[in-house]
Amino acid sequence: MTAKENTAAVTPIGVWGPKVLAAWIVPGGGHFLLKQKGRAGLLAVSVIAMFLLGLMMRGQFLKPQGGDVLNILIYYGGFLCNLMTGLPYLAASWLGYSQPDVAGAVHDYGTKFLVTAGLLNVLSIVDAYEIASGKKS
Amino acid sequence: MPKVNLSHFEAALLFSLFTSIVLGVVTKRTDRERLKYGAYCFGSFLVALFGLGWLMYLGHR
């Protein structure tokens, strides 16, 4: 481990915590707090556009459910990915968006767009953490 | 919320675009490298999209 990595490993949670929290709640929020407004804007536009397209294609919010291993992986994983979108997901849920699972390519694409929006936000959260903790510039 | 009906191609193209932007933004260290990587990812998505499209077309003839 290099000296720089060692320094980053002991960065107190107070330094990176608020940025990570902001990055989760509002896509691009972590980068905005880190004064990287251009990158924050690109992340926000991409994640929110992906999420809104998912809603407009009437994708389904996956909810945890049991069954075989693959089923558990898909539904629990999908739920976690949806949750990682942050405020857009919470707002849509609170406002009553609830789409049943229906057959059709467009609905299926919509579900994948909603899940991927969360995954892309996970990438932005990790990036915000790395910048805030000094592992990356 | 209005409803949209995108074709497979349009949906895959938008998916590729937004994913490439995020991949470009969160990786690499300089803006130039990020731009190049984002463009590379988008190009790779397009190659896979057209490649698989032709493969399925030829496989069903």
Side-chain angles (χ1 to χ4, degrees), chain A residues 39 42-43 46 49-50 52-53 55-58 105-107 109 113 116 120 123-124 127 135-137, chain B residues 1-9 11-12 14-15 18-19 21-23 25-29 31 34:
Chain A
R39 296 174 73 192
L42 282 170
L43 289 170
S46 301
M50 187 82 110
L52 288 177
L53 279 168
L55 291 185
M56 288 194 283
M57 286 190 267
R58 299 292 185 265
V106 178
H107 296 290
Y109 264 120
F113 268 59
T116 308
L120 295 179
L123 289 177
S124 81
D127 194 50
K135 290 180 179 173
K136 195 177 171 186
S137 56
Chain B
M1 181 69 67
K3 190 177 180 185
V4 294
N5 267 314
L6 299 177
S7 67
H8 285 282
F9 179 70
L14 287 169
F15 182 95
F18 294 128
T19 306
I21 291 172
V22 174
L23 289 175
V25 169
V26 302
T27 54
K28 310 297 176 187
R29 296 192 180 268
D31 286 345
R34 288 181 189 120

Side-chain angles (χ1 to χ4, degrees), chain A residues 1-15:
Chain A
M1 187 180 279
T2 65
K4 191 180 175 186
E5 284 171 338
N6 196 27
T7 308
V10 293
T11 306
I13 193 170
V15 174

Side-chain angles (χ1 to χ4, degrees), chain B:
Chain B
M1 181 69 67
K3 190 177 180 185
V4 294
N5 267 314
L6 299 177
S7 67
H8 285 282
F9 179 70
E10 290 163 342
L13 202 66
L14 287 169
F15 182 95
S16 309
L17 179 69
F18 294 128
T19 306
S20 301
I21 291 172
V22 174
L23 289 175
V25 169
V26 302
T27 54
K28 310 297 176 187
R29 296 192 180 268
T30 65
D31 286 345
R32 188 180 168 79
E33 282 178 338
R34 288 181 189 120
L35 190 64
K36 273 175 72 176
Y37 188 67
Y40 170 77
C41 287
F42 187 62
S44 301
F45 270 121
L46 287 187
V47 168
L49 183 60
F50 280 101
L52 290 172
W54 274 102
L55 196 69
M56 285 187 279
Y57 172 72
L58 295 172
H60 282 82
R61 283 180 75 183

